[in-house]
Amino acid sequence: MAAGVTFAVGLPGGGQDGDGGRHRPAGAAGATAEETSPVSSSPSPSSGATASASPSGRDRGPARTPAGSAPAGAPDEGAEKSGVPVTVRAEPYAWESPCSQRYLVDKPAGEMKPPPVEESAAGWVAAHGAVSSGQQYLRLTVQGTGPETVVVDGLTVRVAGKRAPLAWNDYTMAYPGVGCGGGVQTRAFGVSLDSARPSLAPEPGNEDFPFKVSESDPEVYYITASVSAYDVDWYLELKWSSGDRSGTLTVDDEGRPFRTSGNKGRPAFEFPIGGDGWVPEGTTKLD
């Protein structure tokens, strides 16, 4: 059997209940590289072992993933230094449609700014310490770093923390009376974070892994993570292979887990078009 040794593996730690300041969102996330050694002709005594040391040699702290995560729009330096032939850009605050997007915030309606447009969502979320409510919609762009073909073998969901749902106010991004469009994208997947072992499943009409990418032929994956019974910290592991090399990329929110909380029974608010503040959901009078 082929043997491999894995390097630079780390697990994002969970936060504390209701700790809005712990989770500081950003517009896009990086991916931390982990690569196995080329296939060997004989078994190794270290087969399957992992090394938890960070490439930087510094303590990352309990809430962070391995060093090497790239900031929004920047190259994945960890992948470049290790020779990993694939990068991932994650957009944790993409919207499938405004009607489907909600956020929990530990603030009264009178202290809230109006709903943002999707392009400004990451900044709005950061300013309010908001957490995705009910579901989170991620857009992952996967691209090779060179002309060689890289096979994306799969995406695995990892739970880093699970608590009771946040007891915060629930704010919908949709404006009352405004219709919402949207449809299932190709390469679309869903996952229930309420499950004991959450796993991705392709949406109806979509294909499942594996897929192929290169520098000139990237892929975009859309992931809808739903939850009702918990406040969940989670992240993804992307498995890749290219020739005799293979490895895993940890995909998260710039070194911290994604965070999604159930919203059942929470006070809900909406923002009327032309209004000057948030009102209880369902109370806006439509012409």
Side-chain angles (χ1 to χ4, degrees):
M1 295 180 61
V5 181
T6 307
F7 298 94
V9 183
L11 183 70
Q16 301 298 319
D17 291 0
D19 183 5
R22 176 198 62 79
H23 183 75
R24 300 186 181 278
T32 300
E34 165 199 333
E35 182 176 2
T36 59
S37 62
V39 175
S40 169
S41 59
S42 60
S44 164
S46 59
S47 177
T50 61
S52 59
S54 161
S56 66
R58 294 178 294 183
D59 181 11
R60 296 186 299 271
R64 301 196 66 83
T65 42
S69 295
D76 188 337
E77 295 179 0
E80 290 180 355
K81 291 178 181 179
S82 64
V84 175
V86 65
T87 61
V88 183
R89 174 183 170 86
E91 298 173 74
Y93 303 103
W95 294 357
E96 184 174 14
S97 79
C99 288
S100 65
Q101 188 56 59
R102 313 175 73 96
Y103 295 108
L104 290 165
V105 182
D106 191 20
K107 292 183 179 180
E111 297 180 10
M112 297 291 296
K113 296 180 180 179
V117 294
E118 180 183 357
E119 292 74 16
S120 303
W124 189 94
V125 167
H128 291 85
V131 171
S132 294
S133 173
Q135 71 175 36
Q136 187 162 3
Y137 189 69
L138 275 67
R139 184 187 296 118
L140 305 183
T141 303
V142 184
Q143 185 172 19
T145 60
E148 68 271 27
T149 297
V150 180
V151 178
V152 180
D153 296 302
L155 277 170
T156 302
V157 179
R158 301 295 188 191
V159 172
K162 183 177 284 190
R163 302 162 296 272
L166 292 169
W168 296 356
N169 289 333
D170 187 26
Y171 296 93
T172 178
M173 300 295 101
Y175 286 94
V178 177
C180 288
V184 175
Q185 304 283 350
T186 57
R187 307 292 192 255
F189 302 85
V191 57
S192 171
L193 299 177
D194 288 317
S195 300
R197 294 184 178 179
S199 61
L200 292 180
E203 298 286 2
N206 281 254
E207 298 179 359
D208 204 351
F209 293 96
F211 302 117
K212 296 180 179 180
V213 299
S214 66
E215 186 175 25
S216 60
D217 189 20
E219 289 254 308
V220 180
Y221 309 142
Y222 299 87
I223 298 170
T224 302
S226 302
V227 66
S228 62
Y230 301 99
D231 169 22
V232 183
D233 291 334
W234 60 285
Y235 63 103
L236 296 165
E237 290 181 342
L238 182 146
K239 296 182 179 180
W240 61 268
S241 58
S242 181
D244 62 356
R245 295 186 296 160
S246 62
T248 302
L249 293 177
T250 297
V251 184
D252 57 25
D253 188 359
E254 291 206 330
R256 298 184 183 277
F258 306 120
R259 188 177 184 184
T260 317
S261 176
N263 58 8
K264 186 177 181 180
R266 302 314 310 151
F269 296 87
E270 64 191 14
F271 201 101
I273 292 180
D276 56 3
W278 295 85
V279 299
E281 189 173 22
T283 62
T284 300
K285 295 183 179 180
L286 304 176
D287 294 334

